[in-house]
Amino acid sequence: MNFAEEWIEHDYNPFIVFDNSGKIVSLNQEAQYLLGEVNHKKIFDIAGTYASITYGFKTTIVDIAFNSYKFYAITVGYLDEDVIGIKLYKNATKKFANVEEYGESVNIYALLDLCISAVSTNSAIKFKKEFDPTFPDIHLNVENFIKLLNKVYQTHLNATTITTRLSLITGEYIRFNNKKYPIFSISIKSDATPLHYEKNIEDIAHKSNCTIQFEANETLIQSALVS
């Protein structure tokens, strides 16, 4: 893959290209997850509905929901009759109140591995990892962040498989103290409905300078990337 293709592959938003019969030509990682909840024909129909009348690209603000996935806009583009592409923009989660500019500098991969190792001890759960390989060391409130991850993993312990995804949210930033920071995302998704959510998880997330969102079988943590 070239740089542009890698960028699309790791985009936080689903991106799919179809041929003129509705078959998938290419898609990124996030689109693969989306198609686990919705038939690709529905996405193809949406692309056709919102495509520009003439060749080109068209962005439309529209609310679309597929189970746990919620979108606020789409871009549809085509330059000939052979292929058509669509990008769906995920709804933003809760706003950040703060940025931890002076936390400890840590390797995020090692931190996630540590938490996964701890929770997988004496467990039959299969843990999968899908990490963007380009993350630098980042500044975090390590104690609270580990506590947050452990609490979230514990809510998914009735599952047989837990998948952890680490990715950078392309095109989204937070401004704090006249600085602009990219946002990274950790998705912890299982094949079963979580056992429970402790009331203090959101408090721990706040102390960790994170936002947290709960879906049917997924917990999404987001934070500013301070390197």
Side-chain angles (χ1 to χ4, degrees):
M1 291 185 183
N2 60 33
F3 178 77
E5 291 170 334
E6 286 281 2
W7 189 287
I8 292 172
E9 177 67 11
H10 292 98
D11 197 324
Y12 174 70
N13 298 296
F15 178 83
I16 308 174
V17 176
F18 298 96
D19 67 14
N20 55 19
S21 67
K23 293 182 179 179
I24 295 174
V25 175
S26 65
L27 73 169
N28 66 357
Q29 291 181 7
E30 191 60 34
Q32 294 178 39
Y33 284 94
L34 172 62
L35 294 183
E37 300 200 23
V38 60
N39 188 286
H40 71 278
K41 291 293 185 183
K42 287 188 177 181
I43 307 296
F44 178 68
D45 290 342
I46 290 172
T49 299
Y50 289 95
S52 173
I53 296 176
T54 57
Y55 296 151
F57 297 83
K58 179 183 176 183
T59 298
T60 304
I61 304 299
V62 58
D63 290 325
I64 298 174
F66 302 111
N67 297 324
S68 63
Y69 281 89
K70 297 177 178 61
F71 306 97
Y72 68 90
I74 59 173
T75 295
V76 178
Y78 67 109
L79 298 177
D80 52 42
E81 299 293 337
D82 296 329
V83 295
I84 185 170
I86 181 171
K87 179 176 181 178
L88 301 98
Y89 299 87
K90 282 186 177 181
N91 277 340
T93 55
K94 295 179 181 178
K95 300 296 183 181
F96 295 88
N98 191 18
V99 171
E100 184 65 55
E101 295 181 294
Y102 307 107
E104 298 176 55
S105 179
V106 296
N107 182 302
I108 188 66
Y109 307 112
L111 203 62
L112 286 166
D113 284 340
L114 175 66
C115 293
I116 291 171
S117 177
V119 77
S120 63
T121 302
N122 300 321
S123 172
I125 299 173
K126 182 179 181 180
F127 286 84
K128 296 181 179 179
K129 296 182 290 186
E130 299 179 1
F131 294 169
D132 180 334
T134 61
F135 270 65
D137 286 356
I138 60 179
H139 290 272
L140 290 170
N141 184 319
V142 175
E143 181 179 354
N144 283 326
F145 198 77
I146 289 176
K147 188 182 297 184
L148 174 63
L149 288 173
N150 286 337
K151 289 283 187 182
V152 172
Y153 279 120
Q154 287 167 14
T155 67
H156 291 273
L157 291 182
N158 61 329
T160 58
T161 302
I162 296 177
T163 301
T164 303
R165 295 187 66 218
L166 171 67
S167 59
L168 187 67
I169 303 178
T170 305
E172 293 190 26
Y173 299 87
I174 176 175
R175 291 187 180 276
F176 186 76
N177 286 346
N178 297 318
K179 298 178 183 178
K180 187 169 74 170
Y181 299 95
I183 300 172
F184 72 91
S185 169
I186 297 173
S187 164
I188 298 173
K189 189 171 185 178
S190 65
D191 58 359
T193 302
L195 292 169
H196 62 282
Y197 283 115
E198 294 187 23
K199 293 181 180 179
N200 66 342
I201 286 183
E202 289 191 354
D203 292 335
I204 298 171
H206 182 75
K207 291 177 182 178
S208 305
N209 298 303
C210 299
T211 65
I212 189 163
Q213 181 177 347
F214 308 110
E215 299 292 353
N217 61 340
E218 180 182 20
T219 307
L220 187 66
I221 300 168
Q222 294 183 356
S223 184
L225 194 160
V226 184
S227 59

